[in-house]
Amino acid sequence: MAYIIALSLLLGLIIGFVLPINIPFSYAPYLSVAILAALDSVFGGIRASFEEKFDNLIFITGFFGNIILAGGLAYIGDVLGVPIYLAAVFVFGSRLFSNFAYIRRYLIDRMRRR
Amino acid sequence: MKKGFSIYISIALVSLVLGIMLSTQFKIVKKGGVVTAQRAEELATQLKQLQSEKEALLKQISELEAKINAYEDSASKNSVITQTLKSEVEKYKELAGLTDLQGPGVIVTVNDSKQPVPPGQDPNLFLVHDEDLLRIVNELRAAGAEAISLNDQRLIATSEIRCVGPTVVVNSVRFAAPYVIKAIGDPDTLEAALKLKGGVVDSLATWGIEVNIKKSDKIVIKKYDGVLKFRYAKPLVEGEKK
């Protein structure tokens, strides 16, 4: 599992660097919020797989749904002049940390049981 | 087994997308699109350094000028010719705006409108522009002002008054509102010229731009402190063939 994540992440990084994907500068803030959402989904997926509650459909829809929602909300916030992206940063950031805490605890538990 | 396999595929796909997004974002940031706090701080210290350097150079200029003055003084004591030459030089310096001057005149303070901008109106109309300042200066000149300064920048033959973004540049120095125009001349004439019915102050008042005119018996106008040098223009000698 960890190998798969690491390998495909590396592959994605290489693809992104090699391919001339260019996003207009004005969209950069939306992309950063979307990245946060994506990171949250991945951590959530790892946690769910440790808890053996992993559901493929939920994982995939959560990933793309979160990205679109975060980017879209940030865009709408920009249009309305309300910094909604702060909400996305806050929520996804705190969830990232709590997910990481679960993963850490799970791993430590497993190590101690051995 | 089949279910486990599809899970791996989805995780791989998600990580792939995440990787592409991360590298794209990294590329954008590396291009210097986003100004980081660190970079801003760096630039700020650079600016500060240059400003102190400029201050030092200005000080040097004034020191050297004092030295020149001393030389001229001592030279003028030697003979009548140099004395008359010096007085001649003084006269031209005054005319060119290279000496501090004092005399009666007016102090005109121009500030942006404090009226709320009605919806649908261009907010630009309620700000002071280069044109407004130029009109005021022009009116003062027409009324016989002998020396004019804008925010202590002496207006000489080559001075510009120009909008740069929300600021106005005079003699390559930037200023924001309020603008203080000092002019030496007959105070009553200068004030009357500005306050003409349908004149500058009248038309600016339409937008609520504040123009405050204060008459004074003693106004000090600083000299032009830039460098005056012609790089392209040469004097045309009378009778010389082209």
Side-chain angles (χ1 to χ4, degrees):
Chain A
M1 173 98 169
Y3 291 120
I4 291 174
I5 290 174
L7 265 180
S8 42
L9 200 61
L10 204 67
L11 195 67
L13 283 174
I14 291 166
I15 289 173
F17 273 116
V18 171
L19 290 185
I21 303 172
N22 256 324
I23 287 186
F25 177 61
S26 48
Y27 294 135
Y30 311 138
L31 184 64
S32 51
V33 177
I35 282 178
L36 208 56
L39 269 175
D40 170 60
S41 293
V42 169
F43 269 86
I46 295 170
R47 176 187 160 188
S49 77
F50 280 143
E51 290 175 345
E52 281 159 14
K53 284 197 299 197
F54 188 86
D55 188 313
N56 203 3
L57 193 64
I58 288 175
F59 180 59
I60 289 284
T61 52
F63 179 76
F64 289 105
N66 276 350
I67 288 178
I68 291 164
L69 188 66
L73 270 182
Y75 173 73
I76 290 169
D78 261 9
V79 171
L80 296 179
V82 183
I84 299 179
Y85 71 92
L86 284 178
V89 168
F90 185 72
V91 168
F92 289 127
S94 60
R95 265 175 49 178
L96 243 166
F97 279 110
S98 68
N99 277 342
F100 177 70
Y102 268 107
I103 293 166
R104 184 168 45 95
R105 257 164 233 182
Y106 179 84
L107 285 177
I108 289 171
D109 262 9
R110 202 166 63 175
M111 265 167 56
R112 279 193 184 142
R113 246 181 257 148
R114 266 182 206 167
Chain B
M1 185 60 213
K2 199 177 175 251
K3 200 186 171 215
F5 190 63
S6 74
I7 285 170
Y8 287 143
I9 285 185
S10 65
I11 287 177
L13 181 78
V14 162
S15 304
L16 196 78
V17 173
L18 181 62
I20 292 173
M21 281 164 71
L22 278 174
S23 53
T24 311
Q25 175 79 358
F26 183 71
K27 268 198 294 193
I28 291 175
V29 172
K30 211 174 76 175
K31 243 192 276 169
V34 184
V35 180
T36 58
Q38 199 192 351
R39 177 83 182 132
E41 211 168 285
E42 219 176 273
L43 288 174
T45 48
Q46 232 173 57
L47 180 68
K48 226 179 198 175
Q49 199 187 333
L50 285 175
Q51 269 171 348
S52 64
E53 235 167 77
K54 190 188 146 203
E55 293 283 314
L57 286 174
L58 279 178
K59 216 173 143 193
Q60 210 180 340
I61 285 177
S62 62
E63 270 168 24
L64 289 174
E65 270 175 357
K67 230 181 238 179
I68 288 176
N69 272 340
Y71 286 141
E72 277 174 354
D73 273 344
S74 64
S76 66
K77 274 174 199 145
N78 289 344
S79 72
V80 186
I81 300 172
T82 46
Q83 204 170 354
T84 45
L85 275 176
K86 186 176 163 20
S87 68
E88 200 83 332
V89 165
E90 284 298 317
K91 201 176 92 190
Y92 289 128
K93 265 187 170 174
E94 255 166 50
L95 288 173
L98 297 175
T99 49
D100 291 351
L101 294 177
Q102 61 154 6
V106 291
I107 299 174
V108 186
T109 313
V110 189
N111 207 346
D112 290 341
S113 173
K114 290 200 176 67
Q115 277 178 17
V117 180
Q121 279 269 35
D122 186 2
N124 262 329
L125 291 171
F126 295 84
L127 299 176
V128 181
H129 287 278
D130 48 356
E131 287 165 30
D132 308 329
L133 296 172
L134 278 168
R135 279 180 66 194
I136 291 172
V137 168
N138 201 29
E139 204 62 57
L140 288 170
R141 283 201 169 128
E146 286 160 10
I148 303 173
S149 74
L150 207 169
N151 284 12
D152 276 340
Q153 281 297 319
R154 181 69 167 274
L155 295 184
I156 59 163
T158 53
S159 294
E160 81 281 16
I161 298 179
R162 185 174 180 276
C163 270
V164 176
T167 56
V168 167
V169 166
V170 182
N171 288 348
S172 308
V173 183
R174 271 209 223 189
F175 295 112
Y179 305 101
V180 180
I181 300 172
K182 290 183 190 167
I184 292 179
D186 180 21
D188 293 325
T189 317
L190 293 178
E191 191 191 19
L194 291 177
K195 282 189 172 167
L196 269 181
K197 214 166 176 53
V200 194
V201 177
D202 228 15
S203 62
L204 288 179
T206 318
W207 309 112
I209 288 172
E210 293 164 11
V211 182
N212 188 2
I213 304 172
K214 212 179 91 191
K215 287 191 277 188
S216 172
D217 287 337
K218 195 189 168 201
I219 288 177
V220 175
I221 292 189
K222 296 250 173 64
K223 66 179 184 225
Y224 175 71
D225 55 7
V227 180
L228 264 185
K229 197 176 177 189
F230 285 150
R231 273 197 298 170
Y232 301 104
K234 297 258 182 328
L236 178 64
V237 179
E238 205 67 44
E240 191 181 82
K241 290 233 167 104
K242 275 185 211 167

